[in-house]
Amino acid sequence: MSAAIPSPRSAVRWTADVGRVVRLFKAFGVEQTDPDLFYGTLADDSVGQLSEYADLRGARMLDVGGGPGYFADAFRAAGATYYAIDSDLGELSGRGEPVEGTVLGSGMALPVGDAQVDICFSSNVLEHVPDPWLMADELVRVTRPGGTIFLSYTGWWGLHGGHETAPWHFLGGHRAARRYERRQGHPPKNKFGESLFPITVAGGLRWARACADADLVAALPRYHPRWAYGVLAVPGVREFATWNLVLVLRRR
């Protein structure tokens, strides 16, 4: 793996160490009460992690599932020419008016021509679409030859696979959703079978290795320290231990 490429946003090199894990998990703990801290921390971390594989300065970048603008702020500050597509107007409007350069559209049928972007990025979206590998193919399609595809998602069999219904999703997604509604008095935001689907780590690895138009550069557990990356090599164990899978590909 090449050294991180410094960006104007920060002179500190991104490292997958224990300190980073602690910062991220503290932010995860306040997702509902302090979304600015949570999403801002995740966006800044994503800049550092993606910079391990691509130079953001001057890159034309498409974020599929960009949300309300936290990633736009972080990637533009790092020098990228940033555009986003999201299928949920509510998500795009989470901080007011959607940020400039965002479009409402489906990740499974991107309204973008072939080979148009230098970097195609998607963070924690694949588990929310009914055909995740169709969406993954779309990310590859819109990326130029030599460009970078970075996608991450939460595996169903990890501790957070059921999102707010976890860990009861291990007993079934519909059952977990019903339990959540009884306890909370309202349905979960992520509705199993509608906006949350079971997706496996093994499925992502199979798709990436078989991709005809891109080469797999890296596969790793997104939030782990580097010394724990080895969990991905153990079938079965990786479904539970990976938690969130990153796939990085280079377009042929």
Side-chain angles (χ1 to χ4, degrees), residues 151-180:
L151 64 157
S152 79
Y153 64 89
T154 300
W156 178 251
W157 296 112
L159 282 174
H160 193 57
H163 288 44
E164 66 268 45
T165 69
W168 302 99
H169 67 291
F170 290 125
L171 301 178
H174 292 299
R175 183 176 182 180
R178 290 193 297 269
R179 180 186 184 279
Y180 180 94

Side-chain angles (χ1 to χ4, degrees), residues 77-94:
T81 301
Y82 174 97
Y83 302 95
I85 291 174
D86 201 300
S87 63
D88 188 335
L89 182 59
E91 288 291 332
L92 287 174
S93 307

Side-chain angles (χ1 to χ4, degrees), residues 18-52:
V18 173
R20 168 189 175 251
V21 175
V22 171
R23 288 193 301 274
L24 287 172
F25 275 86
K26 283 183 177 178
F28 293 151
V30 297
E31 177 181 1
Q32 301 298 321
T33 58
D34 192 350
D36 287 349
L37 175 61
F38 168 68
Y39 288 106
T41 299
L42 184 58
D44 285 345
D45 184 78
S46 297
V47 168
Q49 192 166 35
L50 180 55
S51 294
E52 291 274 294

Side-chain angles (χ1 to χ4, degrees), residues 50-206:
L50 180 55
S51 294
E52 291 274 294
Y53 305 99
D55 190 348
L56 296 173
R57 295 168 296 187
R60 180 183 293 179
M61 176 179 180
L62 177 65
D63 182 355
V64 180
Y70 297 100
F71 285 89
D73 292 344
F75 282 113
R76 285 173 178 164
T81 301
Y82 174 97
Y83 302 95
I85 291 174
D86 201 300
S87 63
D88 188 335
L89 182 59
E91 288 291 332
L92 287 174
S93 307
R95 292 196 296 171
E97 290 294 318
V99 299
E100 183 180 357
T102 60
V103 174
L104 191 66
S106 170
M108 294 181 291
L110 293 173
V112 179
D114 295 352
Q116 293 297 304
V117 300
D118 302 307
I119 300 169
C120 201
F121 173 89
S122 184
S123 173
N124 299 326
V125 177
L126 284 185
E127 70 266 31
H128 299 293
V129 299
D131 193 339
W133 311 124
L134 174 60
M135 177 177 147
D137 286 340
E138 280 288 274
L139 267 62
V140 174
R141 177 184 66 79
V142 303
T143 305
R144 66 165 178 80
T148 301
I149 301 100
F150 180 108
L151 64 157
S152 79
Y153 64 89
T154 300
W156 178 251
W157 296 112
L159 282 174
H160 193 57
H163 288 44
E164 66 268 45
T165 69
W168 302 99
H169 67 291
F170 290 125
L171 301 178
H174 292 299
R175 183 176 182 180
R178 290 193 297 269
R179 180 186 184 279
Y180 180 94
E181 186 167 1
R182 288 197 305 270
R183 293 296 184 97
Q184 302 298 325
H186 59 85
K189 173 184 175 182
N190 299 286
K191 298 178 182 178
F192 183 76
E194 297 180 29
S195 59
L196 181 64
F197 301 88
I199 182 172
T200 65
V201 171
L205 294 173
R206 281 195 302 270

